[in-house]
Each structure stands twice: as structure tokens, then as C-alpha cells.
Amino acid sequence: MNHTIRLAALAALVTAGITLPAHAQVVVKDPWVRATVSQQKATGAFMQLTSPQDARLVEAKSPVAGVVEIHEMSMEKDVMRMRAMPGGLELPAGKTVELKSGGYHVMLMDLKQQVKEGSSVPMTLVFEGKDKKRSSIEIKAPVKSLTGGTTMDKDQAHGGMKH
């Protein structure tokens, strides 16, 4: 099959609405991790995620933490609750999902050392498509304070919440 015929066949499949396995990856924009104070054992990572097709963030890993989980923070009867999302975080095709303080975030727990402003945290984000195939993206998230110079205290690091 020559090149022109292959392109025409591909165009016909796309026009017919048939989905081919996509090799495009999730776009990670503006990742950052909140700085900690000495002896603090948890912090959050934040970013914007955009997937070209329906997918989900199913796992995150980092060598700076013993435990890394995808979390959701929400209000329930005037009480802020934080919970792990063991099924992952949905990423609808073409829509940006923001991981931010007070909402979805990646929780880094059992920190092995202080996470200092100005450094960076290596992370591996694992995504799963509708076809159940997984792909990983390696990032280095800069460490920043939440309010331009003030790090959180120990209770704020995990929102003072219990799971």
C-alpha cells in the first residue's frame, strides 16, 4: 500500500469516528510542590493536567515520599474533608483538570526530608486510557511557598484532616 493510499485510509477512519490508539500524552502544566518546615511529614503537589482523550491519573510516585496518593478535598456540612482517590482522577478529553489547594491534589506523605523552597521534586505520574493501557510522565516540580514566603505549619500540611 503506498503512502497516499495509507493517508486516505487513515483520513477515512478518522472521519468515520473510529478511534485509533493514541500516542499523545497528557500535558502537565505549571507543576509545583508546597515547601515544608523541618519535621513536617506531608505536603501537596499541584498542577494542571490536559489529556487529548479520556484518561485518568491513577498513580503518582516520588523518591522524596514514602507514600504518594491522589487526593480530593471537599466541604461536607461546613467541615473540610480530605480523602484518597484509589480509583484515580478522571481527565475528560480536551478539558484541563486543575490540581490545586483545597481541591484535587497529589499528597506526598512520610517525607524523607524537608522539601525546601527553591529546590525541585521529581515525580512520576501514571495515566491510564480507556483501553486500560498505562503511560508515565516524569516531571520535576519546583518547590514554592503558598503565599510567597510563608511555609505551612504541620497541621496545615495535611489540612488537619484525618482520613
Side-chain angles (χ1 to χ4, degrees):
M1 188 183 289
N2 73 31
H3 184 68
T4 305
I5 294 172
R6 278 190 286 210
L7 286 176
L10 179 60
L13 288 172
V14 171
T15 303
I18 296 171
T19 305
L20 298 174
H23 297 287
Q25 288 200 334
V26 174
V27 174
V28 180
K29 185 177 175 193
D30 299 326
W32 67 281
V33 173
R34 185 177 292 136
T36 63
V37 295
S38 181
Q39 304 303 312
Q40 185 174 321
K41 291 297 181 188
T43 191
F46 312 96
M47 63 202 76
Q48 291 91 45
L49 302 173
T50 307
S51 178
Q53 59 190 349
D54 288 341
R56 68 176 51 234
L57 172 63
V58 293
E59 185 180 2
K61 305 176 226 177
S62 178
V64 305
V67 177
V68 182
E69 296 178 344
I70 302 157
H71 278 203
E72 175 183 29
M73 195 173 271
S74 61
M75 293 296 291
E76 294 176 16
K77 298 182 183 178
D78 297 328
V79 176
M80 188 168 279
R81 304 258 183 220
M82 188 178 336
R83 67 177 181 92
M85 300 176 66
L89 175 62
E90 290 288 331
L91 304 175
K95 295 188 178 174
T96 299
V97 176
E98 187 169 8
L99 282 67
K100 61 183 180 179
S101 186
Y104 300 120
H105 58 280
V106 174
M107 198 74 209
L108 299 136
M109 299 175 285
D110 191 20
L111 293 174
K112 298 176 181 178
Q113 62 194 35
Q114 182 178 356
V115 179
K116 295 183 180 181
E117 188 171 359
S119 64
S120 66
V121 172
M123 293 178 63
T124 302
L125 304 174
V126 181
F127 301 94
E128 183 177 276
K130 290 283 185 187
D131 59 4
K132 302 296 182 198
K133 289 185 180 176
R134 291 188 174 198
S135 62
S136 298
I137 297 176
E138 304 286 329
I139 64 169
K140 286 192 187 277
V143 178
K144 303 177 183 179
S145 67
L146 180 62
T147 57
T150 308
T151 55
M152 298 187 315
D153 65 31
K154 291 178 194 174
D155 289 332
Q156 288 174 308
H158 208 255
M161 301 294 141
K162 293 184 180 178
H163 295 264

